[in-house]
Amino acid sequence: MSIDPRVVKEELIQIYPKKLRQKRAEQIVINEIREDGSVPEIKANVRSSPGIITQRGCTYAGCKGVVIGPSRDILSLVHGPIGCSFYAWLTRRNQTRPEGPDAQNFINYCLSTDMQEENIVFGGEKKLKVAVREAYHLFHPKAIAIFSTCPVGLIGDDVHAVAREMKEELGINIFGFSCEGYRGVSQSAGHHIANNGLFKHIIGNVETTHDEKFKINLLGEYNIGGDGFVLEDILKRCGIKQISTFSGNSTYDSMANSHTADLNLIMCHRSINYVAEMMEKRFGIPWMKVNFIGATASAKSLRRIGEYFEDDGLKARIEEVIAEEMAKVEAVRTVVKSRCQGKTAMLFVGGSRAHHYQQLFTEIGIKTIVAGYEFGHRDDYEGRKILPGLKVDADSKNIEEITVVPDPERFRARKSPEELARFQAMTEMEFRDYIGMMPEMDEDTLVVDDLSHHETERLLELYRPDIFCAGIKEKYGVQKMGIPCKQLHSYDYGGPYAGFRGAINFFNDIDRMVNMKIWSYVTPPWQPPAKKLEEVAAD
Ligand code: CFM
C-alpha cells in the first residue's frame, strides 16, 4: 500500500471544526509496534460528537439485545415505548436449540409494556406490574428480566422495586436492569450493567455438581449464525465439559450453575470481562482469553485449554480433533488463498470482531489495512496492560462497580499461586490477559475508533479496499460505491464462521465476494454518470 497513512489521517479529519478535529486526531491512530511491544495510545470509549453519524448503538441494546437476550428461557420484558422492542425484535442472529419440543424458548417473543403518554406523565410502574403478572401467567418462566428504556430513567420508575415486589408475589426470579439507552456512551455500558445483573441475580443459584474432569464456561459467545453450535461440538469431541455459555444457546439453569466450572474462557473480551473478573474473585475460577475465529486461532485456543488442565489424555484428544479438522480446512484454504492473496480489507465492528476476524483474513492472504471498534475501550485496542493507568471518566463512573469478596463457602482456588504464576509466564497463554488488537496489526495500518460516515466514504475513496466489513447500517452505502460489504455482526445470511467448519464457510463466502465481477459494473457516485442509452447508441 503506497498511500501514506499520515496523509490519509489528515484527509479524514480536515473537514471537521477545530475542536472535533483535535478529538478525532486522538481517535485515529497510525499503528506502530515499539521495541517494548507497546503501541500508541488511542482515545476510545468516549462520547460520539454531535453531528457525527456514528455506527454505535445504545446501552439498552448492549444489555438486553447482546448479553441477556440470547438466553432462551429468561423471559425478557422491555419497559418502554413499543419501538424499542419492535426494532430490536429478532434482528441479532443469535440462535438457540431447546432441549426438546416442550422446553421453554422465549426468543421468538417480543414483550413490552408499550408505554403511552399517560404512563410518561403519571408513571409506568403499575403498568409494569400488570405486564409482569400477565407474562408470568402466560409463560410460567423461571426468570423474568426487566429492561429499562430511556423514558423509564427520565420519569423515575423504579424497576428494581417492582422486580422485588413481583419476585415476592410470584415466587420466581425477577430482576431489573437500569440500562436506559443514554446511560453510557454506547452499548458497551449495557454490557457492564448486564454483567452486574448476571452476577447479582443468577450466577451461583443452582448447585448441580458434575463429575467430568475438564469443566469450562465459554464467556462472550452469543451463537450468532450458529457459531456456538460449532464450538459446542468441538469442545465435546475433545472431552471438555461446557457447563454454560454466556449467553448463546444458554439456559437460566446453566448460567446459574456456572460457578461449578474450573476455567472461564473468554471469546469476546469487551462484553463479558466483568463477569470473568467477578467470578474469579468470588469463586476462584481463573479466566483465559481465547479466540475461535480462524482455524489457527482455534487450534491455539484448544491447545491452551489442554495446557491449563495439564492432562495428557486431553491433550491427545485435542490434537486428534485439530488434525482431523485442519485437513478439511487446508483443502479449502489453499484454493481460496490462491484467489485472494494480496487483496485488502477494512473492518469496523463492535468491540471484538474487528480484531478476531483479521486472523481469518490473514489465513487466506488478505491484509487488513484499516480497522477499528465501534465501542471498544483502550484495553481492547492496546491490551489490558494499560488498565492500571486508565482514568475512569464520568460516563464510566455512572455504572455500578460491584465490590466482590470470596464466597465464604464456595470459593475454591482452582490453581495454586505457583501454578498461576507459571501459566502467566507462558506468553502464549493470554492468561487473565488480553493483548488487544493493535499489537497484532501491521505497522502503519490505520486504527480508527468510532468511525463516522464521512470517514467511511473518504477511506473507501482513498484506499478502494477489496472488501469492507461492518453492519447493516453501512452495508448498502458501501456497496453503492462499488465495494462489497460483509456484515460481521449478523454474517448477512451466512455463518457459522467460528471454529474450523466456520473458517471454511468464511473462506468460501469471502472468495465469492471479493472475486465477484458485478462490483466492477457499479458506477461510484463520485465518477461521471454512466452514459445514457441514447449516448451509447450514438457512439
Ligand atoms: Fe462482543 Fe459480540 Fe462484538 Fe459485542 Fe455487538 Fe455482536 Fe459485535 Mo454486533 S458481543 S463486542 S455488542 S463480539 S452484537 S456478537 S457483532 S457489535 S463485535
Side-chain angles (χ1 to χ4, degrees):
M1 186 58 47
S2 54
I3 313 175
D4 181 353
R6 284 146 207 92
V7 177
V8 176
K9 177 173 172 174
E10 206 29 57
E11 182 61 30
L12 292 183
I13 59 176
Q14 48 123 338
I15 196 176
Y16 295 138
K18 193 162 162 248
K19 244 175 112 184
L20 179 56
R21 194 161 62 231
Q22 279 165 352
K23 184 179 165 203
R24 291 303 292 155
E26 292 176 70
Q27 292 181 280
I28 302 175
V29 166
I30 295 146
N31 197 35
E32 177 194 338
I33 319 283
R34 305 193 187 112
E35 247 168 54
D36 62 353
S38 69
V39 290
E41 180 176 332
I42 187 165
K43 197 183 186 77
N45 190 33
V46 292
R47 293 180 182 206
S48 305
S49 299
I52 287 278
I53 304 179
T54 167
Q55 299 179 301
R56 285 174 167 175
C58 69
T59 302
Y60 153 76
C63 182
K64 190 262 179 194
V66 174
V67 178
I68 309 289
S71 188
R72 65 174 166 270
D73 61 356
I74 297 174
L75 193 83
S76 290
L77 173 61
V78 178
H79 189 29
I82 196 64
C84 301
S85 287
F86 187 85
Y87 293 106
W89 186 23
L90 296 178
T91 45
R92 190 161 175 256
R93 293 183 64 227
N94 45 267
Q95 302 183 0
T96 202
R97 196 178 275 156
E99 300 83 344
D102 299 326
Q104 289 188 322
N105 176 14
F106 308 125
I107 280 190
N108 293 345
Y109 295 102
C110 173
L111 280 86
S112 165
T113 52
D114 184 21
M115 278 181 133
Q116 303 290 318
E117 195 174 348
E118 189 194 324
N119 312 118
I120 304 292
V121 177
F122 298 108
E125 290 181 12
K126 258 194 223 144
K127 196 170 194 187
L128 176 59
K129 285 181 205 171
V130 172
V132 172
R133 286 192 197 104
E134 189 183 342
Y136 173 75
H137 291 299
L138 275 173
F139 297 102
H140 296 284
K142 285 182 180 155
I144 297 178
I146 301 165
F147 300 94
S148 307
T149 58
C150 294
V152 173
L154 297 174
I155 65 173
D157 273 5
D158 188 344
V159 296
H160 306 285
V162 171
R164 280 194 298 273
E165 191 185 326
M166 288 293 103
K167 186 175 175 176
E168 188 78 7
E169 181 182 314
L170 302 170
I172 58 162
N173 196 358
I174 302 178
F175 40 89
F177 292 96
S178 292
C179 57
E180 289 85 354
Y182 58 77
R183 270 288 158 190
V185 302
S186 70
Q187 51 268 64
S188 167
H191 301 148
H192 196 162
I193 293 165
N195 278 225
N196 288 348
L198 286 171
F199 193 70
K200 284 202 284 197
H201 302 292
I202 300 178
I203 296 168
N205 286 359
V206 170
E207 284 302 344
T208 315
T209 49
H210 304 271
D211 296 331
E212 292 88 344
K213 261 162 105 186
F214 315 114
K215 298 186 282 267
I216 57 105
N217 298 310
L218 188 54
L219 271 54
E221 166 48 59
Y222 301 97
N223 203 16
I224 308 297
D227 277 356
F229 295 146
V230 174
L231 302 184
E232 283 172 20
D233 172 64
I234 297 174
L235 292 168
K236 198 169 165 200
R237 280 159 54 204
C238 292
I240 297 162
K241 168 74 180 170
Q242 200 172 341
I243 304 280
S244 82
T245 309
F246 290 72
S247 58
N249 194 31
S250 72
T251 59
Y252 172 81
D253 282 348
S254 66
M255 295 200 285
N257 188 228
S258 58
H259 62 297
T260 60
D262 294 324
L263 173 65
N264 278 331
L265 303 173
I266 295 198
M267 264 294 280
C268 166
H269 170 264
R270 182 66 270 134
S271 63
I272 205 91
N273 71 86
Y274 320 93
V275 156
E277 293 271 297
M278 292 189 282
M279 283 180 83
E280 178 156 22
K281 283 191 192 130
R282 180 174 292 177
F283 300 108
I285 309 171
W287 65 269
M288 185 197 279
K289 175 76 181 72
V290 288
N291 177 18
F292 287 107
I293 301 299
T296 24
S298 299
K300 207 160 133 189
S301 296
L302 287 173
R303 289 189 177 117
R304 279 179 192 160
I305 304 171
E307 291 292 341
Y308 173 83
F309 285 109
E310 300 182 277
D311 182 277
D312 289 339
L314 175 64
K315 286 184 191 170
R317 275 195 305 279
I318 286 172
E319 289 307 324
E320 273 168 37
V321 171
I322 292 174
E324 195 183 314
E325 294 289 325
M326 272 301 196
K328 291 183 247 171
V329 172
E330 279 307 296
V332 178
R333 194 181 72 86
T334 36
V335 180
V336 170
K337 190 175 178 185
S338 70
R339 284 197 290 256
C340 295
Q341 181 80 51
K343 294 195 187 288
T344 56
M346 291 185 185
L347 287 78
F348 295 98
V349 220
S352 142
R353 294 187 173 182
H355 178 198
H356 286 167
Y357 277 79
Q358 292 188 30
Q359 170 91 43
L360 265 175
F361 279 117
T362 308
E363 288 176 12
I364 46 172
I366 297 182
K367 182 176 153 71
T368 302
I369 47 174
V370 193
Y373 296 126
E374 277 171 50
F375 51 77
H377 298 200
R378 273 187 62 199
D379 42 324
D380 302 302
Y381 286 104
E382 303 168 50
R384 279 179 75 94
K385 60 180 175 301
I386 61 108
L387 280 178
L390 203 64
K391 277 200 274 348
V392 181
D393 64 10
D395 284 310
S396 305
K397 275 198 194 124
N398 219 356
I399 307 163
E400 183 191 9
E401 272 295 340
I402 304 178
T403 314
V404 186
V405 292
D407 187 295
E409 275 104 52
R410 297 184 292 178
F411 180 91
R412 184 168 55 80
R414 304 315 202 262
K415 295 277 176 189
S416 69
E418 295 75 43
E419 284 169 320
L420 288 180
R422 184 158 49 82
F423 283 134
Q424 213 109 41
M426 293 165 69
T427 48
E428 283 284 271
M429 290 291 273
E430 282 193 35
F431 195 66
R432 285 164 155 175
D433 195 15
Y434 172 42
I435 68 158
M437 174 168 85
M438 288 164 66
E440 294 201 329
M441 286 182 72
D442 285 350
E443 295 253 345
D444 274 356
T445 48
L446 268 177
V447 183
V448 185
D449 182 60
D450 189 18
L451 179 82
S452 76
H453 197 110
H454 156 72
E455 293 156 14
T456 306
E457 288 187 0
R458 290 304 290 138
L459 282 173
L460 290 172
E461 287 161 1
L462 293 166
Y463 284 100
R464 306 285 311 159
D466 294 289
I467 192 156
F468 189 88
C469 299
I472 189 67
K473 299 194 289 291
E474 296 77 35
K475 185 174 174 93
Y476 296 100
V478 171
Q479 293 196 158
K480 279 177 189 168
M481 297 174 84
I483 290 161
C485 180
K486 178 73 201 161
Q487 293 189 65
L488 278 191
H489 301 260
S490 68
Y491 303 160
D492 296 298
Y493 318 100
Y497 290 147
F500 305 97
R501 190 154 64 82
I504 294 174
N505 289 336
F506 191 77
F507 297 157
N508 284 328
D509 286 354
I510 296 303
D511 183 19
R512 266 196 296 275
M513 291 182 85
V514 298
N515 289 310
M516 207 172 352
K517 282 229 169 53
I518 193 162
W519 303 110
S520 61
Y521 299 117
V522 177
T523 308
W526 64 90
Q527 281 181 7
K531 284 182 179 172
K532 295 202 181 84
L533 200 57
E534 35 305 358
E535 290 170 329
V536 176
D539 277 348

